Amino acid sequence: MIDVSGLRRVYAEGGLSREDLTPEPIDLFEKWLKQAIDSGIHDPNGMVVSTVNAEGQPSSRMVLLKNYDRESLVFFTNYGSRKAHELSENPKISILFPWYMLERQVAFQGVAEKLSVVETIKYFRSRPRDSQIGAWTSHQSSKISARAALESKFMELKQKFQNGEVPIPEFWGGFRVKFNTVEFWQGRPSRLHDRFMYTKNS
Ligand SMILES: Cc1cc2nc3c(=O)[nH]c(=O)nc-3n(C[C@H](O)[C@H](O)[C@H](O)COP(=O)(O)O)c2cc1C
């Protein structure tokens, strides 16, 4: 086994103080997102989405942030996936942006709802054609016999949709996550990290 107990580093890239806080958390999030993009890290819009099933068992996976506004974050997925099933039973969700390279994380907690079909169509149309066909190919979270089966299905669908627009699968779409807490974390030396949490007044 690898001895991971000694893996640590000094977080000295920056700090976050009360004066840096914006009235709305989304403005600070946007500033950090921009810095993450400008830093050149891979998938700066990658976020860990955690859901909880009916037995109370949490599960996490990475998805990409595709839109946001003052009060919500949007991602797209397969509505037949495990995460979508879990959200239909329990819409509470947690989202984490793990920006290790910047010694930062931002954690959101909130409630997810399906995006309107109009908004889903708008995003689907903006995707590259192969990604549109890809959405048809995979019944996410279900087991397949072999990768080759997925690839041959993709080729088959490519043939089928070769003329005209690729229709939108009804089992695919977005989730809008309305957040009620947002926590910003900035690593500091000697484990004296900066943490600020915004909580929505209900
Ligand atoms: C960098 C990265 C980005 C991903 N982006 C998405 C995404 O935007 N939407 C999505 O449904 N799955 C995305 N995935 C795949 C998911 O992590 C996951 O495997 C899939 O959605 C099935 O999850 P589930 O079975 O827990 O529902 C991404 C994976 C990685 C590593």
Side-chain angles (χ1 to χ4, degrees):
M1 277 211 258
I2 298 172
D3 179 9
V4 291
S5 67
L7 294 179
R8 64 170 67 87
R9 62 192 172 101
V10 176
Y11 297 125
E13 286 285 318
L16 180 66
S17 52
R18 203 163 277 280
E19 301 84 73
D20 300 320
L21 302 181
T22 51
E24 290 291 333
I26 204 66
D27 296 315
L28 182 54
F29 171 74
E30 186 169 57
K31 184 175 165 193
W32 280 22
L33 176 64
K34 185 171 183 317
Q35 289 172 348
I37 294 166
D38 292 347
S39 76
I41 58 171
H42 285 168
D43 299 320
N45 58 335
M47 56 192 202
V48 179
V49 164
S50 301
T51 52
V52 177
N53 73 9
E55 284 78 52
Q57 173 64 55
S59 63
S60 303
R61 76 290 290 157
M62 188 73 99
V63 304
L64 298 178
L65 175 73
K66 287 295 168 180
N67 203 356
Y68 63 90
D69 61 25
R70 261 182 91 238
E71 53 190 28
S72 65
L73 307 176
V74 172
F75 66 92
F76 290 86
T77 193
N78 187 303
Y79 285 151
S81 66
R82 178 174 58 162
K83 69 180 99 45
H85 280 301
E86 294 187 355
L87 288 171
S88 70
E89 291 172 338
N90 179 355
K92 289 187 179 167
I93 189 167
S94 136
I95 291 185
L96 181 84
F97 288 83
W99 289 322
Y100 320 107
M101 288 288 288
L102 301 166
E103 304 174 351
R104 283 176 176 169
Q105 64 180 351
V106 184
F108 293 81
Q109 288 186 337
V111 175
E113 62 187 33
K114 279 188 176 171
L115 204 64
S116 72
V117 176
V118 174
E119 286 171 285
T120 290
I121 291 173
K122 196 169 157 215
Y123 173 67
F124 189 79
R125 286 275 152 259
S126 76
R127 298 180 100 199
R129 198 175 169 82
D130 277 4
S131 303
Q132 294 182 14
I133 297 169
W136 276 98
T137 313
S138 142
H139 284 276
Q140 221 174 47
S141 316
S142 57
K143 288 187 184 149
I144 54 165
S145 54
R147 183 169 181 89
L150 205 60
E151 281 165 3
S152 79
K153 186 147 178 236
F154 180 77
M155 294 318 287
E156 202 182 287
L157 286 160
K158 220 169 160 158
Q159 191 72 21
K160 183 174 170 191
F161 297 133
Q162 63 180 322
N163 299 316
E165 280 190 339
V166 179
I168 298 181
E170 83 269 2
F171 55 81
W172 188 92
F175 279 99
R176 176 183 299 290
V177 175
K178 291 201 171 145
F179 47 83
N180 38 50
T181 68
V182 190
E183 188 200 275
F184 293 85
W185 186 99
Q186 171 81 58
R188 297 295 299 273
S190 310
R191 301 291 177 267
L192 304 177
H193 310 306
D194 294 326
R195 283 175 87 181
F196 287 97
M197 185 188 269
Y198 290 76
T199 305
K200 194 172 180 174
N201 292 328
S202 44

